[in-house]
């Protein structure tokens, strides 16, 4: 049983169902259309899709390929990572609205008879018996329910209810920013690129979603109320100044009803498991948006978990705690290294960039440096210790 139909939960459900394991995925929302999910599918996730025969189907979804990552400053464009030099099959990040990615993964899972998806199903408690988690309690429009399971996986994101119910508390590492998320229409003469825009006191991610621009404007942590108090012009003005090609369209932002605010967190559990329970993805380690790698890490957690769990679960369980500990041991180094790098960027680039006093440091072109450039593209494109699917496609036995 998996709580949470985000990248971690959906991918784990697919891999387990594909390996012949009966699996129920519970998602609290009625659809996947949450606007503020990460949109980036990295080369290592594309390889995972390739390994399970979904890469072609994925590439049929309308998407935008970013072969290099750049920061646009007032003094010009600074390349950060040139992914076209990666030694992998996929040398780009594919930008896809996350709801399309999740629909692809859950539709693929639904081809296996062991898979069951319950939407509008909000898990609010775990069932504990004999010192172990034996399933969950959830509510849906039909009322309260219990679902028992050999193993419960918490993949319910940064505000994990399952984690809280199991008494697991993450260590907070903090983030200096929140993100204001909104869109403006795209026109044919606009730049054909997804990029980061940095200018004294302002930082904005500019994501090309084909017919519209998805904009992510970073504000100091907790700063949304003061932005709102200044009125919508306080948002229109920096957009027009930082992105002059959008100046004539900022009037389409009519009020704060057109924007969402997303609180950024960076934290990690000391222990990702209890007897009968495994925590993965943001529920185990909330990722900052820096480098846009949280989806990738969530998927890699799912692959590592499926590789370890499919055999014992297909055989009917139980799953020893030592196996859950092994999954945490495997996924801890990539998580720690990635979060460390995110914290460095948060503290050295984002914090000063958002502080109007200091102004942003001028980023350097590291993409062409032999060692640093290769490290940056490996880190962003493939991540640390990328996982590969080791689970076979197996018929499900009821
Ligand atoms: C502002 C911001 C921008 C980001 N941008 C990017 C980006 O561009 N690229 C990138 O790779 N990463 C990005 N990230 C990080 C990324 O969004 C996360 O790391 C990633 O989504 C984690 O996936 P997940 O499956 O673990 O959790 P989530 O994506 O959070 O999925 C959890 C799922 O569980 C469901 N759920 C929650 N509670 C319950 C419950 N009680 N019962 C049942 N279901 C429940 C939720 O509805 C959700 O569907 C960003 C993060 C932030 C904060």
């Amino acid at each position: 049983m998996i709580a949470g139909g985000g990248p971690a939960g959906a991918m784990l459900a697919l891999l387990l169902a594909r390996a012949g394991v009966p699996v129920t995925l519970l998602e609290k929302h009625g659809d996947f259309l949450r606007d503020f999910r990460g949109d980036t599918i990295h080369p290592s996730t594309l390889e995972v899709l390739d390994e399970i025969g979904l890469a072609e189907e994925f590439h049929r979804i309308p998407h935008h390929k970013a072969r290099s990552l750049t920061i646009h400053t007032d003094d010009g464009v600074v390349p950060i990572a040139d992914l076209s030099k990666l030694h992998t099959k996929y040398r780009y990040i594919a930008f896809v609205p996350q709801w399309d990615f999740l629909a692809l993964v859950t539709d693929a899972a639904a081809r296996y008879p062991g898979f069951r998806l319950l939407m509008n199903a909000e898990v609010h408690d775990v069932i504990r018996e004999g010192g172990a988690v034996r399933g969950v309690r959830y509510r849906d429009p039909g009322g309260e329910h219990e679902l028992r399971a050999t193993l419960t996986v918490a993949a319910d994101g940064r505000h994990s209810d399952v984690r809280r119910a199991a008494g697991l508390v993450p260590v907070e590492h903090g983030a200096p920013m929140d993100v204001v998320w909104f869109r403006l229409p795209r026109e044919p003469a606009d730049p054909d690129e997804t990029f980061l825009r940095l200018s004294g006191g302002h930082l904005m991610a500019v994501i090309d979603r084909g017919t519209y621009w998805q904009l992510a404007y970073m504000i100091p942590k907790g700063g949304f109320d003061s932005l709102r108090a200044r009125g919508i012009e306080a948002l229109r003005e920096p957009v027009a100044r930082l992105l002059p090609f959008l100046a004539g369209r900022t009037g389409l932002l009519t009020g704060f009803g057109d924007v969402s605010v997303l609180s950024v967190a960076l934290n990690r559990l000391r222990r990702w498991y209890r007897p009968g329970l495994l925590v993965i993805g943001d529920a185990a380690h909330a990722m900052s948006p820096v480098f846009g790698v949280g989806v990738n890490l969530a998927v890699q957690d799912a692959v590592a978990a499926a590789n370890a769990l499919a055999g014992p679960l297909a055989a009917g369980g139980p799953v020893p705690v030592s196996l859950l500990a092994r999954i945490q041991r495997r996924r801890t180094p990539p998580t720690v290294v990635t979060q460390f790098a995110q914290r460095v960027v948060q503290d050295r680039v984002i914090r000063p960039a958002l502080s109007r006093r200091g102004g942003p440091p001028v980023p350097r072109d590291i993409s062409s440096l032999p060692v640093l450039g290769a490290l940056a593209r490996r880190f962003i494109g493939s991540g640390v210790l990328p996982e590969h699917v080791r689970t076979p496609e197996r018929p499900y036995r009821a």
Side-chain angles (χ1 to χ4, degrees), residues 198-396:
L198 177 65
S199 173
H202 300 274
L203 189 54
M204 200 177 290
V206 186
I207 302 167
D208 175 1
R209 277 190 175 170
T211 55
Y212 63 93
W213 290 104
Q214 183 63 63
L215 299 162
Y217 180 51
M218 280 166 225
I219 56 171
K221 180 127 232 56
F224 186 63
D225 285 346
S226 92
L227 179 74
R228 193 165 42 191
R230 286 188 283 134
I232 195 65
E233 198 48 39
L235 186 58
R236 288 181 188 152
E237 187 276 324
V239 175
R241 191 157 46 78
L242 267 65
L243 306 167
F245 65 93
L246 287 178
R249 284 166 251 172
T250 55
L252 295 169
L253 291 170
T254 55
F256 281 93
D258 295 335
V259 309
S260 324
V261 62
L262 195 50
S263 144
V264 175
L266 198 152
N267 64 34
R268 193 165 67 244
L269 282 177
R270 282 212 174 84
R271 204 169 148 194
W272 300 15
Y273 58 90
R274 289 250 191 266
L277 173 75
L278 175 68
V279 188
I280 61 169
D282 265 23
H285 47 74
M287 303 305 290
S288 158
V290 171
F291 306 123
V293 291
V295 169
N296 201 43
L297 239 82
V299 167
Q300 302 287 317
D301 280 5
V303 174
N307 286 345
L309 295 169
L313 286 174
V319 177
V321 167
S322 57
L323 190 58
L324 303 178
R326 205 180 325 146
I327 297 169
Q328 173 175 352
R329 275 201 303 279
R330 185 170 177 92
R331 294 304 303 155
T332 294
T335 307
V336 170
V337 172
T338 310
Q339 288 189 325
F340 175 76
Q342 291 186 324
R343 283 163 67 186
V344 169
V345 173
Q346 284 187 170
D347 290 344
R348 302 261 172 93
V349 180
I350 296 177
R351 200 184 297 278
L354 293 181
S355 123
R356 277 148 217 271
R357 289 185 310 277
V362 179
R364 289 181 51 207
D365 171 5
I366 55 166
S367 69
S368 50
L369 300 180
V371 177
L372 263 183
L375 273 176
R377 64 178 163 266
R378 272 292 299 272
F379 177 74
I380 294 175
S382 307
V384 181
L385 298 178
E387 301 284 348
H388 294 280
V389 178
R390 311 253 178 250
T391 44
E393 189 169 16
R394 254 199 307 246
Y396 161 69

